Amino acid sequence: MSQSEATSRRPRSAAGLIAATVARRLGHGAFTLFVVSLVIFSLMSLMPGDFAKSILGQAATPETVAAFQREVGLDVPPVQRYVAWVGNVAHGDFGNSFVTSGAKKRAVADIIAPRLKNTMFLALITAALAVPLALGLGILTALKRNSFFDRAVNALTLTTISMPEFFMAYLLLMLFSTKLHWLPGLATVDAGDPFLEKLRRCTLPALTLTLVIVAHIMRMTRAAILNVLDDPYMEMARFKGITRARMVLRHALPNAWAPIANVVAFNLAYLIVGVVIVEVVFAYPGIGQLMVDAVSTRDIPVVQACSLIFAGVYVLLNLAADIASILSNPRLLFPR
Amino acid sequence: MGADPLLHIKGLRIEGLSDGSWRPILRGIDLHLARGEVLGLIGESGAGKSTLGISAMGAVREGCRFADGEIRFDGQDLIALGDEGCRPLRGARIAYVAQSAAASFNPAHRLIDQTIEASIQHGLLTDGAARAEAVALYRQMQLPAPEEIGFRYPHQVSGGQLQRVMTAMAMLCRPDLIIFDEPTTALDVTTQVEVLAAIRSAVKTNGTAAIYVTHDLAVVSQMADRIMVLRHGQVVEEAQTRAMLAAPTQEYTRSLWAVRKLNRPNQPDAQALLTVVGASAAYPAGPEVLRDVSVTVPRGRTVAVVGESGSGKSTLARVITGLLPPVAGTITFDGTALSPTLAGRSHDMRRRIQMIYQSADTALNSRQRLSEIIGRPLSFYHGLSGAARDRRVAELLEQIELPPDFADRFPQELSGGQKQRVSIARALAAEPDLILCDEVTSALDQIVQEEILRLLMRLQDEKGISYLFITHDIATVRAIADRVVVMHRGAVVEQGPKAQILSPPHAPYTRLLLSSVPEMDPDWLGRLLELRSRG
């Protein structure tokens, strides 16, 4: 009876608190995206060179340039262009690519969608491998602080985090593809490929990214747990005869979640936003490469859409980390 | 006493690692404890009493090691068993109650889950049986709503209640021995009485043996059958409680026994230096924590503000310093109205009101030498620099009775009492008219406390400084106050000259406060509880 009473109070206040946080953070996020859109748009306008010339080529006649500018809307003043762009984006319309025109005209969304899907796929399989591995290593090294295992793992992850990712990528490529022939060196995937084939092709890029982010998450997990181990309630747990493993998992971990959740969110964001170098090495058709290509071809609508998606990823993942922190902290869940 | 004691410690030596070398903490201790017996361990901080208490579980703190000796619990050699070997005993047959229940409960779990954890882990009780037992113990510990309190989280429960939950937690497996490590030190006197009564009755009812560690002689004389006095890791004296209270044989024990010698008769009122009228204050988005408080501090006198934690004492100090502008009320200082905000006050006005904090450890910058800590206000308020500033720092060190070469030291090279002296010197450097002292002696040992109080009184006599002295300790009030302000729940209960406030008739809350101060009489707690139960 009393238990049901005590727990029945929980969902309402907790859900209310989380709803309020989500609403507030989404508001902040929307504002952030607005600022980002302004910055992106201004930077695009400041980009050197003539869009029309760089797309149509040096030989383009003034008439074709003017016609092109009219077609893509570059003939109107920037403020008006910005307002129109933001308005369309708000309706889910990212506009049309500059590079394709006339009959071959393609919507930005159609260009980005498959690339984003690929990036998400790589990010997901990397996360599925890296996050549990990193958390496990972090917990184990904290448990066995200063042991040989702890030092070995620390040295290893420090090495992987210190090496540039492209170097790591080439190293793995050389070893597993060129020398051992275990895995394909090119990660060119198509939407039609069977899942297992995609998985096989993504193994090397996923491994590379895992090596990059495991160190980060693992070290933060270890530090957060060690930080908590000095708290008086850990001594109390010891004096209650609690086993070492249970002390770490049940007493330390729940109090260390907040920083761990943050670093996990940060690294997941990196997996979507920052993997262009690894994509290039393995020729993986992800969104990072798409954006770089779009920058070099001055395909402004694509660049703008990619930037906004990246900003949105950060906002959402940070929100997820905040919710995880609240859920793990009874002080926030159950105010006095 | 049986031939086979429950706990037998022989020639125990424990060392602690400090600055890279092992230094002795316990220097050969012998101790025996019979079943159902309560032994009080008493001594000043650093005496090794807590280390000795913990060693009874076969444990040492991080950075310590067993150097020599033997600990036998019910025939088993705990040091030979090792840390992992002792684990099945801990929480099951030997339980521990820590000083700060607020810090020693895991903030992430409900109290009941923590209460029953050890019994489940050791496989002694089923989940259902353990929960039922926990509720029964909560009831025995006189906790409010024993059926429900377990479902709360630690932050939702008061300090006194947490301490009782922790005692229930220790009792759950019906251990043979409980180690109480200063269980009431962090509590207010009014709360302490309830916790002491609950612990005492629980230990008696269940026939548990206990080691009760404290630095408070009056407390230990309520709880223990036998008392052991420790100093510098050695036993000074050991005897049955009544025998020791009646006739301590050692000089050191007598010095602990001596009721505080400092007792300044209160001086007549003087012209008002600080007048607070009708001050109310609240923290942002919080309830009112100070309600219509009026206080006067006469020139060259000491006004003690006394009350339990949460009574608004420190908030009053924050209002006077301007750190927390009041929502209502006025402050007059030396005949002129004080701006409610710090920003609105002149440089000179800030100089004239200084503050000393409870914890010198956190109030002094550990990366600055004393010359910088004390010299900074000299430059800031008086524009001193170079040799003139150094000379003044040396003078101030002399005034607080520290050698001049201390100027080159860092705070962590000083003892607790010396650090608090430095805090006083830093306040003095501004040459203030009023110093707000917020629990400045609470973290110090009895003997050091008295030295600090004497220093403050001497400085008052020499310089005519006024003190607003915030404390929860009635003995301190008795020692130094001219006027006393009793606060409760943000309001002033009564105030007046010390002689008037501390002698009957009292306001009801003052009576509760005064009667809750433990006395060095083994029958005090029993008498008090009987008196209160009769109303």
Side-chain angles (χ1 to χ4, degrees), chain B residues 192-227:
Chain B
Q192 175 173 265
V193 171
E194 297 161 18
V195 176
L196 288 179
I199 290 178
R200 198 167 74 158
S201 102
V203 167
K204 280 224 170 78
T205 315
N206 302 313
T208 318
I211 293 178
Y212 197 102
V213 177
T214 178
H215 67 274
D216 190 330
L217 201 70
V219 164
V220 81
S221 58
Q222 311 307 313
M223 311 303 286
D225 302 318
R226 193 153 51 95
I227 295 177

mmCIF file of all heavy atoms in Angstrom, chain B residues 192-227:
data_model
loop_
_atom_site.group_PDB
_atom_site.id
_atom_site.type_symbol
_atom_site.label_atom_id
_atom_site.label_comp_id
_atom_site.label_asym_id
_atom_site.label_seq_id
_atom_site.Cartn_x
_atom_site.Cartn_y
_atom_site.Cartn_z
ATOM 1 N N GLN B 192 20.195 15.864 18.622
ATOM 2 C CA GLN B 192 21.116 14.903 19.206
ATOM 3 C C GLN B 192 20.460 14.105 20.325
ATOM 4 O O GLN B 192 20.639 12.896 20.421
ATOM 5 C CB GLN B 192 22.345 15.646 19.736
ATOM 6 C CG GLN B 192 23.322 14.757 20.469
ATOM 7 C CD GLN B 192 24.603 15.491 20.825
ATOM 8 O OE1 GLN B 192 25.580 15.438 20.109
ATOM 9 N NE2 GLN B 192 24.577 16.178 21.941
ATOM 10 N N VAL B 193 19.674 14.779 21.148
ATOM 11 C CA VAL B 193 19.024 14.107 22.268
ATOM 12 C C VAL B 193 18.177 12.939 21.771
ATOM 13 O O VAL B 193 18.267 11.823 22.289
ATOM 14 C CB VAL B 193 18.140 15.100 23.060
ATOM 15 C CG1 VAL B 193 17.294 14.370 24.074
ATOM 16 C CG2 VAL B 193 19.004 16.145 23.729
ATOM 17 N N GLU B 194 17.381 13.188 20.720
ATOM 18 C CA GLU B 194 16.513 12.132 20.204
ATOM 19 C C GLU B 194 17.324 10.961 19.663
ATOM 20 O O GLU B 194 16.996 9.797 19.897
ATOM 21 C CB GLU B 194 15.636 12.684 19.066
ATOM 22 C CG GLU B 194 14.689 13.773 19.514
ATOM 23 C CD GLU B 194 14.207 14.600 18.333
ATOM 24 O OE1 GLU B 194 14.338 14.122 17.191
ATOM 25 O OE2 GLU B 194 13.716 15.721 18.555
ATOM 26 N N VAL B 195 18.402 11.288 18.917
ATOM 27 C CA VAL B 195 19.197 10.221 18.311
ATOM 28 C C VAL B 195 19.911 9.423 19.393
ATOM 29 O O VAL B 195 19.930 8.190 19.362
ATOM 30 C CB VAL B 195 20.193 10.802 17.292
ATOM 31 C CG1 VAL B 195 21.094 9.712 16.737
ATOM 32 C CG2 VAL B 195 19.441 11.482 16.167
ATOM 33 N N LEU B 196 20.467 10.118 20.386
ATOM 34 C CA LEU B 196 21.144 9.418 21.479
ATOM 35 C C LEU B 196 20.183 8.465 22.173
ATOM 36 O O LEU B 196 20.511 7.309 22.443
ATOM 37 C CB LEU B 196 21.698 10.426 22.496
ATOM 38 C CG LEU B 196 22.912 11.244 22.066
ATOM 39 C CD1 LEU B 196 23.321 12.199 23.172
ATOM 40 C CD2 LEU B 196 24.073 10.340 21.688
ATOM 41 N N ALA B 197 18.973 8.956 22.453
ATOM 42 C CA ALA B 197 17.997 8.130 23.151
ATOM 43 C C ALA B 197 17.652 6.904 22.314
ATOM 44 O O ALA B 197 17.586 5.780 22.832
ATOM 45 C CB ALA B 197 16.733 8.947 23.438
ATOM 46 N N ALA B 198 17.468 7.101 20.996
ATOM 47 C CA ALA B 198 17.100 5.981 20.128
ATOM 48 C C ALA B 198 18.223 4.953 20.047
ATOM 49 O O ALA B 198 17.988 3.752 20.139
ATOM 50 C CB ALA B 198 16.752 6.497 18.733
ATOM 51 N N ILE B 199 19.467 5.441 19.909
ATOM 52 C CA ILE B 199 20.596 4.518 19.823
ATOM 53 C C ILE B 199 20.731 3.735 21.117
ATOM 54 O O ILE B 199 20.887 2.516 21.128
ATOM 55 C CB ILE B 199 21.909 5.283 19.528
ATOM 56 C CG1 ILE B 199 21.903 5.835 18.101
ATOM 57 C CG2 ILE B 199 23.112 4.379 19.730
ATOM 58 C CD1 ILE B 199 23.139 6.639 17.751
ATOM 59 N N ARG B 200 20.624 4.448 22.235
ATOM 60 C CA ARG B 200 20.837 3.798 23.516
ATOM 61 C C ARG B 200 19.802 2.704 23.742
ATOM 62 O O ARG B 200 20.131 1.594 24.164
ATOM 63 C CB ARG B 200 20.796 4.821 24.650
ATOM 64 C CG ARG B 200 21.438 4.277 25.913
ATOM 65 C CD ARG B 200 21.688 5.335 26.923
ATOM 66 N NE ARG B 200 20.451 5.778 27.566
ATOM 67 C CZ ARG B 200 20.431 6.379 28.751
ATOM 68 N NH1 ARG B 200 21.559 6.632 29.376
ATOM 69 N NH2 ARG B 200 19.302 6.757 29.278
ATOM 70 N N SER B 201 18.563 3.027 23.453
ATOM 71 C CA SER B 201 17.538 2.030 23.725
ATOM 72 C C SER B 201 17.670 0.850 22.757
ATOM 73 O O SER B 201 17.475 -0.302 23.147
ATOM 74 C CB SER B 201 16.147 2.663 23.670
ATOM 75 O OG SER B 201 15.507 2.362 22.462
ATOM 76 N N ALA B 202 18.047 1.109 21.510
ATOM 77 C CA ALA B 202 18.192 0.015 20.549
ATOM 78 C C ALA B 202 19.328 -0.921 20.956
ATOM 79 O O ALA B 202 19.195 -2.138 20.882
ATOM 80 C CB ALA B 202 18.441 0.572 19.154
ATOM 81 N N VAL B 203 20.449 -0.337 21.385
ATOM 82 C CA VAL B 203 21.591 -1.151 21.792
ATOM 83 C C VAL B 203 21.228 -1.991 23.011
ATOM 84 O O VAL B 203 21.536 -3.182 23.081
ATOM 85 C CB VAL B 203 22.810 -0.243 22.087
ATOM 86 C CG1 VAL B 203 23.896 -1.013 22.794
ATOM 87 C CG2 VAL B 203 23.346 0.359 20.790
ATOM 88 N N LYS B 204 20.506 -1.374 23.956
ATOM 89 C CA LYS B 204 20.109 -2.097 25.172
ATOM 90 C C LYS B 204 19.136 -3.216 24.851
ATOM 91 O O LYS B 204 19.310 -4.348 25.276
ATOM 92 C CB LYS B 204 19.449 -1.122 26.161
ATOM 93 C CG LYS B 204 20.456 -0.310 26.945
ATOM 94 C CD LYS B 204 20.066 -0.247 28.426
ATOM 95 C CE LYS B 204 21.200 0.364 29.242
ATOM 96 N NZ LYS B 204 21.224 1.836 29.104
ATOM 97 N N THR B 205 18.100 -2.879 24.046
ATOM 98 C CA THR B 205 17.055 -3.853 23.734
ATOM 99 C C THR B 205 17.631 -5.080 23.047
ATOM 100 O O THR B 205 17.241 -6.206 23.326
ATOM 101 C CB THR B 205 16.007 -3.221 22.794
ATOM 102 O OG1 THR B 205 15.695 -1.926 23.293
ATOM 103 C CG2 THR B 205 14.752 -4.053 22.727
ATOM 104 N N ASN B 206 18.560 -4.854 22.118
ATOM 105 C CA ASN B 206 19.058 -5.963 21.322
ATOM 106 C C ASN B 206 20.315 -6.605 21.903
ATOM 107 O O ASN B 206 20.832 -7.556 21.338
ATOM 108 C CB ASN B 206 19.340 -5.487 19.891
ATOM 109 C CG ASN B 206 18.100 -4.912 19.236
ATOM 110 O OD1 ASN B 206 17.038 -5.518 19.298
ATOM 111 N ND2 ASN B 206 18.209 -3.738 18.649
ATOM 112 N N GLY B 207 20.796 -6.066 23.019
ATOM 113 C CA GLY B 207 21.982 -6.643 23.654
ATOM 114 C C GLY B 207 23.214 -6.606 22.771
ATOM 115 O O GLY B 207 24.050 -7.497 22.809
ATOM 116 N N THR B 208 23.334 -5.574 21.932
ATOM 117 C CA THR B 208 24.458 -5.464 21.020
ATOM 118 C C THR B 208 25.653 -4.840 21.738
ATOM 119 O O THR B 208 25.479 -3.913 22.520
ATOM 120 C CB THR B 208 24.082 -4.544 19.845
ATOM 121 O OG1 THR B 208 22.762 -4.854 19.430
ATOM 122 C CG2 THR B 208 25.034 -4.686 18.700
ATOM 123 N N ALA B 209 26.826 -5.354 21.441
ATOM 124 C CA ALA B 209 28.034 -4.681 21.933
ATOM 125 C C ALA B 209 28.326 -3.506 21.006
ATOM 126 O O ALA B 209 27.966 -3.535 19.835
ATOM 127 C CB ALA B 209 29.205 -5.643 21.942
ATOM 128 N N ALA B 210 28.934 -2.471 21.555
ATOM 129 C CA ALA B 210 29.176 -1.304 20.714
ATOM 130 C C ALA B 210 30.484 -0.630 21.083
ATOM 131 O O ALA B 210 30.922 -0.673 22.230
ATOM 132 C CB ALA B 210 28.027 -0.317 20.829
ATOM 133 N N ILE B 211 31.103 -0.029 20.060
ATOM 134 C CA ILE B 211 32.222 0.885 20.289
ATOM 135 C C ILE B 211 31.714 2.254 19.887
ATOM 136 O O ILE B 211 31.263 2.449 18.755
ATOM 137 C CB ILE B 211 33.452 0.488 19.453
ATOM 138 C CG1 ILE B 211 34.002 -0.843 19.962
ATOM 139 C CG2 ILE B 211 34.512 1.579 19.511
ATOM 140 C CD1 ILE B 211 35.192 -1.340 19.175
ATOM 141 N N TYR B 212 31.714 3.180 20.837
ATOM 142 C CA TYR B 212 31.137 4.487 20.568
ATOM 143 C C TYR B 212 32.266 5.513 20.529
ATOM 144 O O TYR B 212 32.872 5.831 21.549
ATOM 145 C CB TYR B 212 30.115 4.830 21.662
ATOM 146 C CG TYR B 212 29.184 5.949 21.276
ATOM 147 C CD1 TYR B 212 27.886 5.679 20.861
ATOM 148 C CD2 TYR B 212 29.605 7.272 21.308
ATOM 149 C CE1 TYR B 212 27.029 6.695 20.480
ATOM 150 C CE2 TYR B 212 28.763 8.296 20.924
ATOM 151 C CZ TYR B 212 27.475 8.004 20.514
ATOM 152 O OH TYR B 212 26.627 9.015 20.129
ATOM 153 N N VAL B 213 32.548 6.017 19.319
ATOM 154 C CA VAL B 213 33.652 6.961 19.125
ATOM 155 C C VAL B 213 33.107 8.389 19.158
ATOM 156 O O VAL B 213 32.139 8.700 18.466
ATOM 157 C CB VAL B 213 34.340 6.723 17.761
ATOM 158 C CG1 VAL B 213 35.429 7.752 17.524
ATOM 159 C CG2 VAL B 213 34.888 5.314 17.671
ATOM 160 N N THR B 214 33.697 9.232 19.988
ATOM 161 C CA THR B 214 33.244 10.626 20.034
ATOM 162 C C THR B 214 34.333 11.488 20.646
ATOM 163 O O THR B 214 35.282 10.980 21.248
ATOM 164 C CB THR B 214 31.938 10.778 20.845
ATOM 165 O OG1 THR B 214 31.582 12.151 20.901
ATOM 166 C CG2 THR B 214 32.115 10.264 22.258
ATOM 167 N N HIS B 215 34.238 12.794 20.449
ATOM 168 C CA HIS B 215 35.160 13.674 21.162
ATOM 169 C C HIS B 215 34.414 14.391 22.286
ATOM 170 O O HIS B 215 34.975 15.207 22.992
ATOM 171 C CB HIS B 215 35.783 14.691 20.209
ATOM 172 C CG HIS B 215 34.793 15.663 19.672
ATOM 173 N ND1 HIS B 215 34.017 15.417 18.560
ATOM 174 C CD2 HIS B 215 34.402 16.879 20.118
ATOM 175 C CE1 HIS B 215 33.214 16.424 18.344
ATOM 176 N NE2 HIS B 215 33.425 17.326 19.268
ATOM 177 N N ASP B 216 33.119 14.056 22.430
ATOM 178 C CA ASP B 216 32.281 14.760 23.395
ATOM 179 C C ASP B 216 32.097 13.900 24.653
ATOM 180 O O ASP B 216 31.410 12.887 24.639
ATOM 181 C CB ASP B 216 30.929 15.068 22.744
ATOM 182 C CG ASP B 216 30.104 16.012 23.606
ATOM 183 O OD1 ASP B 216 30.261 15.984 24.837
ATOM 184 O OD2 ASP B 216 29.300 16.766 23.030
ATOM 185 N N LEU B 217 32.720 14.339 25.703
ATOM 186 C CA LEU B 217 32.711 13.562 26.931
ATOM 187 C C LEU B 217 31.309 13.407 27.511
ATOM 188 O O LEU B 217 30.921 12.354 28.006
ATOM 189 C CB LEU B 217 33.604 14.272 27.942
ATOM 190 C CG LEU B 217 34.076 13.350 29.035
ATOM 191 C CD1 LEU B 217 35.059 12.365 28.456
ATOM 192 C CD2 LEU B 217 34.695 14.145 30.140
ATOM 193 N N ALA B 218 30.545 14.485 27.442
ATOM 194 C CA ALA B 218 29.198 14.438 28.008
ATOM 195 C C ALA B 218 28.357 13.410 27.263
ATOM 196 O O ALA B 218 27.568 12.675 27.852
ATOM 197 C CB ALA B 218 28.547 15.813 27.937
ATOM 198 N N VAL B 219 28.548 13.333 25.944
ATOM 199 C CA VAL B 219 27.792 12.363 25.151
ATOM 200 C C VAL B 219 28.207 10.947 25.518
ATOM 201 O O VAL B 219 27.371 10.084 25.771
ATOM 202 C CB VAL B 219 28.009 12.610 23.640
ATOM 203 C CG1 VAL B 219 27.558 11.411 22.822
ATOM 204 C CG2 VAL B 219 27.256 13.853 23.191
ATOM 205 N N VAL B 220 29.522 10.727 25.575
ATOM 206 C CA VAL B 220 29.978 9.360 25.806
ATOM 207 C C VAL B 220 29.568 8.872 27.189
ATOM 208 O O VAL B 220 29.293 7.699 27.394
ATOM 209 C CB VAL B 220 31.506 9.231 25.583
ATOM 210 C CG1 VAL B 220 32.296 9.685 26.776
ATOM 211 C CG2 VAL B 220 31.870 7.811 25.201
ATOM 212 N N SER B 221 29.462 9.789 28.136
ATOM 213 C CA SER B 221 29.093 9.342 29.475
ATOM 214 C C SER B 221 27.621 8.900 29.534
ATOM 215 O O SER B 221 27.234 8.183 30.435
ATOM 216 C CB SER B 221 29.395 10.422 30.520
ATOM 217 O OG SER B 221 28.705 11.601 30.195
ATOM 218 N N GLN B 222 26.813 9.294 28.540
ATOM 219 C CA GLN B 222 25.446 8.801 28.471
ATOM 220 C C GLN B 222 25.400 7.399 27.876
ATOM 221 O O GLN B 222 24.500 6.616 28.163
ATOM 222 C CB GLN B 222 24.554 9.702 27.589
ATOM 223 C CG GLN B 222 24.638 11.172 27.872
ATOM 224 C CD GLN B 222 24.407 11.486 29.321
ATOM 225 O OE1 GLN B 222 23.467 10.980 29.930
ATOM 226 N NE2 GLN B 222 25.271 12.306 29.895
ATOM 227 N N MET B 223 26.351 7.115 26.963
ATOM 228 C CA MET B 223 26.226 5.935 26.135
ATOM 229 C C MET B 223 27.042 4.734 26.612
ATOM 230 O O MET B 223 26.653 3.597 26.386
ATOM 231 C CB MET B 223 26.666 6.255 24.691
ATOM 232 C CG MET B 223 26.043 7.503 24.094
ATOM 233 S SD MET B 223 24.239 7.473 24.076
ATOM 234 C CE MET B 223 23.922 6.319 22.751
ATOM 235 N N ALA B 224 28.201 4.994 27.231
ATOM 236 C CA ALA B 224 29.169 3.910 27.423
ATOM 237 C C ALA B 224 29.146 3.325 28.822
ATOM 238 O O ALA B 224 28.893 4.016 29.808
ATOM 239 C CB ALA B 224 30.568 4.418 27.097
ATOM 240 N N ASP B 225 29.441 1.993 28.904
ATOM 241 C CA ASP B 225 29.648 1.350 30.196
ATOM 242 C C ASP B 225 31.067 1.651 30.678
ATOM 243 O O ASP B 225 31.317 1.775 31.862
ATOM 244 C CB ASP B 225 29.510 -0.177 30.060
ATOM 245 C CG ASP B 225 28.160 -0.569 29.503
ATOM 246 O OD1 ASP B 225 27.159 0.037 29.933
ATOM 247 O OD2 ASP B 225 28.101 -1.441 28.623
ATOM 248 N N ARG B 226 31.958 1.737 29.677
ATOM 249 C CA ARG B 226 33.370 1.879 29.999
ATOM 250 C C ARG B 226 33.939 2.911 29.032
ATOM 251 O O ARG B 226 33.464 3.026 27.894
ATOM 252 C CB ARG B 226 34.057 0.523 29.773
ATOM 253 C CG ARG B 226 35.435 0.383 30.335
ATOM 254 C CD ARG B 226 35.695 -1.106 30.626
ATOM 255 N NE ARG B 226 35.384 -1.949 29.477
ATOM 256 C CZ ARG B 226 36.297 -2.345 28.591
ATOM 257 N NH1 ARG B 226 37.548 -1.988 28.689
ATOM 258 N NH2 ARG B 226 35.943 -3.112 27.561
ATOM 259 N N ILE B 227 34.912 3.666 29.469
ATOM 260 C CA ILE B 227 35.490 4.701 28.610
ATOM 261 C C ILE B 227 36.990 4.481 28.473
ATOM 262 O O ILE B 227 37.673 4.131 29.446
ATOM 263 C CB ILE B 227 35.233 6.123 29.184
ATOM 264 C CG1 ILE B 227 33.735 6.429 29.182
ATOM 265 C CG2 ILE B 227 35.985 7.181 28.377
ATOM 266 C CD1 ILE B 227 33.387 7.769 29.783
#
